[in-house]
Amino acid sequence: MRRAVSVRLPAALATAAVGIAVVVAMPTPQASAAVGSATGYATQNGGTTGGAGGQTVRATTGTAIHAALCGRASSSTPITIEVTGTINHGNTTKVSGSSCNTAAGVIELKQISNVTIIGVGSGAVFDQLGIHIRDSSNIIIQNVTIRNVKKSGSPTSNGGDAIGMESTVRNVWVDHVTLEASGGESEGYDGLFDMKDNTQYVTLSYSILRNSGRGGLVGSSESDLSNGFITYHHNLYENIDSRTPLLRGGTAHIYNNHYVSLHESGINSRAGAKAKVENNYFRDSKDVLGTFYTNERGFWQVSGNILDNVTWSGTGSENYPAGPNLTSTTTVSIPYPYSLDGASCVPDIVRQTVGANTGLRVSNGSCSPQTPPPTTPPPTTPPPTTPPPTTPPPTTPPPSGTNLSLGASADGSSKASGTSYGNVRDGNISSYWSPAGSTGSISIKWGSATRVSRVIIREPSGTQGSIGSWQLVNHDTGAVLASGSGAGPISFSATSLSKITFKINSSSGTPRVGEFETYAS
């Protein structure tokens, strides 16, 4: 850090009691999920859904969070952990199990997938205790406060990062969190939101980062260039020395953020990084965009930003500010839809929406705060508008005969992180395969020629309608057996083959195949 950060914490935070709560992980009777849906780059690479569809448990200690992870059937079994109370060193111990790899003194999300951690009740505060994500995918962290995590002094946790990600991390959505320190490196703190060693497809939204020397980085050195595809939107960066963020290589989309009191530098794009920086509001700050502390230059595309009392240093060795006249030096194509608020209203919309325990409100793109419904609202058992018939027909009538896929094998094109080819032939509609992009193919195969005349493609609950146009192909000969649009039953002339391929040519959102059933008749 290049200068100390002067902070004054609210009295409620400064005097919060640090107690040891009873370890508890209680299943809740109704499933809950993260509020709203992932945005930005976290929607790519198969999407980010966290623990949706899995069990929901309640935890009041760090040990209980670890116990919930370790109590799953596998390291990828979906789970939502609702957290309330203060999580600290005194109540966070290591828990062992085949579905987890935890450690004391840190919330360890290591070698796991499909997890949501969400603050509920009167709030969740991780006091001097960081969250470490390593070798993991499909993680959601929402509505929590993480404060005063140290890398030196006592106690220490997570290398001094409030949230740190490293070593092949994919698809993380961090939303409506408050990340704060009480100074910079000389006071024992490091970054608030750090990513390194092959971390990709991450979104940070509607969050507060404040009172720290370092906001966060992407890439730990000029040679750590395997990270990227990060979105930062509708966040408040306040009283930060630098790194809002520091980008080493990769691509970032930075929009509708409010930056206040950046003392040394702001968005630091270097080592070939590309940043799309649009409709942000910078106030009372210095060198808010450029390449700093290195001669390895980065690039930016700028539009719609407001500079309010921003000062600039002169260009020189290892100092290349983008201002005072912001000019684009590259172009960045964004693969997902998004709605931009006008920069002039960013301070107001950010003030009304960011941080933990503020109602999880979001913007609708017209500077108006909205409260999103839960992704999967719990049932309230209202009387149905139209009473169902006594014996309703199933959506897809069951075919006669045996599902030949149950005894077969499966393969396909590149799959999204956290999914498996075998999930389409396991008889479980809640598990699924998803392509790495919006198109792809999945195949069922047998050791010898098998007669097939009917296929049923089933989508997991809640994802119906994402599959667009498709072809069903005899993989042995390349012949197209059928084509159409949408999932469901497919009939064709009986054919003997050893491998049959369902090829998705277009989709709306992220296509998922829960079951690829095959029948002789």
Side-chain angles (χ1 to χ4, degrees):
M1 192 198 75
R2 299 176 184 268
R3 68 185 291 278
V5 179
S6 175
V7 300
R8 184 171 58 189
L9 295 179
L13 289 183
T15 61
V18 181
I20 300 178
V22 177
V23 177
V24 59
M26 299 169 54
T28 58
Q30 294 178 341
S32 84
V35 175
S37 300
T39 55
Y41 274 114
T43 65
Q44 305 298 289
N45 190 45
T48 303
T49 57
Q55 184 186 36
T56 298
V57 304
R58 182 70 59 91
T60 61
T61 68
T63 304
I65 295 173
H66 285 161
L69 297 172
C70 297
R72 297 184 295 166
S74 73
S75 61
S76 62
T77 301
I79 189 169
T80 294
I81 305 173
E82 296 180 338
V83 182
T84 183
T86 299
I87 310 301
N88 55 38
H89 283 261
N91 62 36
T92 303
T93 58
K94 175 182 175 63
V95 178
S96 299
S98 60
S99 61
C100 64
N101 189 347
T102 71
V106 62
I107 298 302
E108 188 77 273
L109 308 182
K110 183 177 181 181
Q111 297 167 344
I112 62 174
S113 61
N114 309 326
V115 173
T116 294
I117 294 177
I118 181 170
V120 297
S122 59
V125 176
F126 294 76
D127 185 48
Q128 302 184 73
L129 196 81
I131 296 179
H132 183 215
I133 306 172
R134 181 183 178 93
D135 294 309
S136 295
S137 64
N138 195 23
I139 307 293
I140 294 175
I141 301 171
Q142 191 175 46
N143 200 39
V144 303
T145 294
I146 307 174
R147 67 188 186 199
N148 294 334
V149 180
K150 286 190 172 185
K151 68 174 182 178
S152 62
S154 179
T156 61
S157 177
N158 196 29
D161 297 335
I163 296 178
M165 291 165 261
E166 63 179 308
S167 186
T168 316
V169 172
R170 294 290 185 274
N171 291 87
V172 177
W173 178 37
V174 178
D175 176 67
H176 282 93
V177 303
T178 298
L179 309 178
E180 55 192 8
S182 295
E185 188 175 21
S186 61
E187 289 77 33
Y189 305 99
D190 197 4
L192 295 176
F193 194 70
D194 279 10
M195 289 161 275
K196 56 188 178 181
D197 191 15
N198 197 15
T199 295
Q200 299 180 2
Y201 301 105
V202 176
T203 295
L204 175 67
S205 56
Y206 298 99
S207 294
I208 297 171
L209 296 87
R210 65 187 173 201
N211 302 336
S212 177
R214 296 167 173 171
L217 59 75
V218 179
S220 60
S221 68
E222 309 293 69
S223 61
D224 181 15
L225 304 179
S226 58
N227 311 280
F229 307 116
I230 317 296
T231 300
Y232 304 82
H233 74 90
H234 293 93
N235 301 298
L236 170 64
Y237 286 84
E238 184 177 24
N239 194 24
I240 304 285
D241 274 359
S242 62
R243 301 186 181 184
T244 67
L246 163 61
L247 305 168
R248 292 182 170 113
T251 299
H253 186 199
I254 303 170
Y255 71 92
N256 283 155
N257 301 286
H258 189 201
Y259 299 89
V260 183
S261 297
L262 307 184
H263 303 298
E264 296 182 4
S265 61
I267 301 167
N268 186 352
S269 179
R270 54 201 277 188
K274 296 182 178 181
K276 186 165 188 174
V277 182
E278 52 183 344
N279 287 34
N280 301 283
Y281 195 107
F282 300 91
R283 179 166 64 87
D284 299 337
S285 296
K286 176 186 177 183
D287 285 347
V288 297
L289 173 65
T291 296
F292 306 105
Y293 322 125
T294 182
N295 289 318
E296 298 294 325
R297 305 284 292 271
F299 309 94
W300 43 83
Q301 180 181 355
V302 293
S303 64
N305 300 287
I306 291 179
L307 308 179
D308 179 1
N309 191 32
V310 170
T311 60
W312 299 93
S313 61
T315 299
S317 178
E318 297 191 346
N319 197 70
Y320 306 94
N325 299 312
L326 297 185
T327 303
S328 297
T329 59
T330 190
T331 58
V332 180
S333 177
I334 302 301
Y336 50 82
Y338 62 101
S339 299
L340 277 173
D341 287 306
S344 61
C345 76
V346 162
D348 191 51
I349 191 65
V350 165
R351 176 184 58 80
Q352 296 181 72
T353 57
V354 298
N357 303 313
T358 55
L360 295 170
R361 289 175 294 178
V362 298
S363 173
N364 64 358
S366 59
C367 300
S368 176
Q370 309 289 316
T371 300
T375 304
T376 308
T380 56
T381 321
T385 303
T386 303
T390 304
T391 309
T395 303
T396 302
S400 60
T402 301
N403 176 10
L404 303 173
S405 300
L406 295 178
S409 300
D411 62 20
S413 60
S414 296
K415 59 182 182 290
S417 177
T419 70
S420 170
Y421 303 121
N423 286 341
V424 303
R425 54 171 183 80
D426 60 0
N428 181 5
I429 191 63
S430 63
S431 65
Y432 59 86
W433 164 86
S434 184
S438 59
T439 63
S441 59
I442 183 72
S443 302
I444 298 294
K445 57 185 180 179
W446 300 267
S448 59
T450 301
R451 185 177 177 84
V452 180
S453 67
R454 183 170 168 84
V455 161
I456 296 178
I457 301 296
R458 299 185 189 272
E459 295 173 287
S461 176
T463 69
Q464 291 90 344
S466 62
I467 295 175
S469 62
W470 51 262
Q471 291 177 311
L472 192 66
V473 179
N474 179 342
H475 195 87
D476 300 347
T477 65
V480 176
L481 302 172
S483 60
S485 180
I490 307 169
S491 297
F492 49 94
S493 299
T495 304
S496 291
L497 42 75
S498 61
K499 184 175 181 179
I500 187 169
T501 299
F502 182 69
K503 183 179 180 182
I504 301 172
N505 295 319
S506 69
S507 63
S508 173
T510 302
R512 296 183 173 101
V513 177
E515 288 297 299
F516 183 168
E517 300 176 3
T518 55
Y519 298 89
S521 61

